[in-house]
Amino acid sequence: MKIASKAGIIIACFIFLMVLPSCSRETVPKSKIVSWVDPARREVPGGLKKAFVKYWDARSRLDWDSTYRLEAPHVRWLLSLDDYFARHRMAGKPKKVVVKRMIRLYPGAVELEMDLVLEDARTLKDETYTPRDYWIELSGRWYHVEKNPLLRFF
């Protein structure tokens, strides 16, 4: 009887230890265009990775409704969806995004260093850029911050 109860406890502990890590890990959606290299792969929190992939995958589909919903509240307050669409209607189509590094600007505000390959909307040629993408965390949720001289908040 003692051996059976010890075996039961060992099996229960084993199952618990196998299930626990999968519960705590945030899964990042797979993306056809976004990839992560070190140190960004290690530094960027899972919630931000999820939001980043959603945002850039939506941009690659030119889905401006979805990207608008992922913009920070102050950006949505300043720009209506129609204004947002007007600003982006001739934007290049992202083909590849490689996140290289995260820089913490303030608590809950980060800058992501990346390489970006866009298909130019006018010429249809691929062009490579090295922009920085800005994100803020509000109430546990990450939002993109439109980087524009008129919307300079950080």
Side-chain angles (χ1 to χ4, degrees):
M1 181 98 170
K2 288 183 179 182
I3 293 174
S5 63
K6 285 182 182 178
I9 291 171
I10 291 172
I11 290 171
C13 288
F14 177 77
I15 291 170
F16 176 77
L17 292 173
M18 293 301 291
V19 171
L20 183 64
S22 65
C23 293
S24 63
R25 249 184 247 148
E26 288 190 59
T27 56
V28 177
K30 297 288 182 199
S31 172
K32 292 181 181 176
I33 67 160
V34 176
S35 62
W36 308 84
V37 296
D38 285 329
R41 182 187 344 247
R42 290 176 278 117
E43 295 173 341
V44 178
L48 175 53
K49 282 182 181 175
K50 276 183 170 179
F52 186 91
V53 166
K54 275 183 171 177
Y55 179 85
W56 283 99
D57 277 355
R59 279 205 60 173
S60 74
R61 296 186 310 274
L62 305 178
D63 179 357
W64 303 116
D65 289 334
S66 294
T67 60
Y68 182 76
R69 285 192 301 273
L70 291 163
E71 292 292 350
H74 67 273
V75 174
R76 287 181 281 132
W77 181 79
L78 288 167
L79 295 172
S80 69
L81 179 58
D82 290 337
D83 292 337
Y84 184 80
F85 176 73
R87 299 178 79 151
H88 291 88
R89 66 184 165 79
M90 290 305 291
K93 181 178 180 175
K95 295 180 94 179
K96 183 179 180 183
V97 181
V98 179
V99 184
K100 300 187 296 187
R101 190 166 77 112
M102 180 179 81
I103 302 161
R104 289 195 188 277
L105 301 172
Y106 309 103
V110 300
E111 175 180 293
L112 297 177
E113 222 174 73
M114 59 189 201
D115 290 332
L116 173 64
V117 177
L118 293 175
E119 179 184 275
D120 187 282
R122 292 167 195 88
T123 65
L124 302 180
K125 292 182 181 175
D126 288 354
E127 296 182 17
T128 302
Y129 301 92
T130 54
R132 292 177 183 236
D133 213 21
Y134 298 88
W135 291 79
I136 58 171
E137 184 181 28
L138 300 170
S139 302
R141 188 167 170 203
W142 286 94
Y143 295 93
H144 183 258
V145 177
E146 178 85 7
K147 189 66 175 166
N148 183 293
L150 299 175
L151 303 175
R152 239 180 123 97
F153 290 98
F154 67 84

